[in-house]
Amino acid sequence: MLNRYARAFFTAVFTPIARFFLSVGISPDAVTLVGTLGVITGALCFYPRGSFFVGTLVITAFVFSDLVDGTMARMVQRKDKFGAFWDSTLDRLADAAIFGGLAWWFGRGGNQPVLFGVCLAIMGLGAVVSYARARAEGLGVDANVGYVERSERLVGSLVATGLAGLGVPYIQAVALWAIAIGSLVTLVQRVLLVRKELLVKVPKGETTE
């Protein structure tokens, strides 16, 4: 949902930045790498100490690189598929750092074992949700369905964590539970869709194995 409605707006905002980076010889892959390293650094330096607001500001600043590098790739009419692979691979590392950093805090300094488990669940479910779509595409099925994709996971967790850092009570716990449940529902949606599509494509008497 956020991909559909927000990406066009932010692409327009960051187009001048993308154009400048290209003019000075910076590649989209370099922007992806720097953005990911910034997210990982912000998440692992601030979240394990409970510095939620500052950590969220740092992470958010680097998260937008995901839009800048995509805009750069479109501007140069990039034809190869390595950029998409590189971007998706580093996204998984960034996500792991964000929810791993939160889990670290909840498991140690925050002393909230339930939210520690919720963060681990989000890490696992987020990875599997993304893998399910990629695997489905490899089998010729478009599994781009579900209520909670990466954008929803990031925006929901970052906004709630930033507000928690400002002292807003309960919002972080509610958001993390909602993301975990929504991720599970999204995974089920994708599995059911792929099952339906693939079973329809298999003629009677044949097997997929």
Side-chain angles (χ1 to χ4, degrees):
M1 292 173 63
L2 287 175
N3 275 333
R4 288 193 294 268
Y5 296 114
R7 185 170 291 272
F9 170 76
F10 284 111
T11 297
V13 171
F14 290 113
T15 293
I17 298 175
R19 186 175 292 113
F20 170 75
F21 283 166
L22 289 172
S23 70
V24 296
I26 299 175
S27 71
D29 291 344
V31 172
T32 304
L33 178 60
V34 171
T36 302
L37 292 176
V39 170
I40 292 173
T41 300
L44 297 184
C45 286
F46 293 100
Y47 282 177
R49 297 186 296 162
S51 299
F52 291 151
F53 183 69
V54 175
T56 298
L57 290 180
V58 173
I59 292 168
T60 301
F62 285 101
V63 161
F64 284 119
S65 66
D66 192 45
L67 295 174
V68 175
D69 59 13
T71 302
M72 293 171 67
R74 286 189 291 274
M75 290 175 70
V76 298
Q77 298 181 338
R78 185 170 183 172
K79 301 297 184 181
D80 65 85
K81 296 182 179 180
F82 176 75
F85 166 81
W86 180 242
D87 189 62
S88 296
T89 300
L90 295 188
D91 281 350
R92 304 290 82 76
L93 291 176
D95 292 355
I98 291 172
F99 294 105
L102 289 174
W104 190 343
W105 165 253
F106 290 130
R108 294 174 64 87
N111 194 28
Q112 299 185 59
V114 173
L115 289 182
F116 169 78
V118 171
C119 287
L120 292 184
I122 293 173
M123 287 175 61
L125 288 168
V128 178
V129 164
S130 297
Y131 173 79
R133 177 180 175 182
R135 184 70 179 111
E137 289 176 349
L139 296 171
V141 178
D142 182 6
N144 186 20
V145 298
Y147 297 115
V148 178
E149 298 181 291
R150 184 172 188 257
S151 296
E152 286 78 13
R153 289 195 303 273
L154 281 183
V155 172
S157 60
L158 291 177
V159 169
T161 298
L163 291 175
L166 292 175
V168 179
Y170 307 118
I171 189 168
Q172 188 180 39
V174 171
L176 291 175
W177 271 106
I179 292 169
I181 295 170
S183 297
L184 178 60
V185 171
T186 298
L187 177 59
V188 172
Q189 287 178 293
R190 293 187 174 182
V191 169
L192 292 178
L193 172 66
V194 173
R195 180 180 185 276
K196 177 182 177 182
E197 292 292 324
L198 293 182
L199 290 180
V200 166
K201 292 179 179 179
V202 178
K204 269 190 174 181
E206 292 190 14
T207 176
T208 57
E209 296 182 358

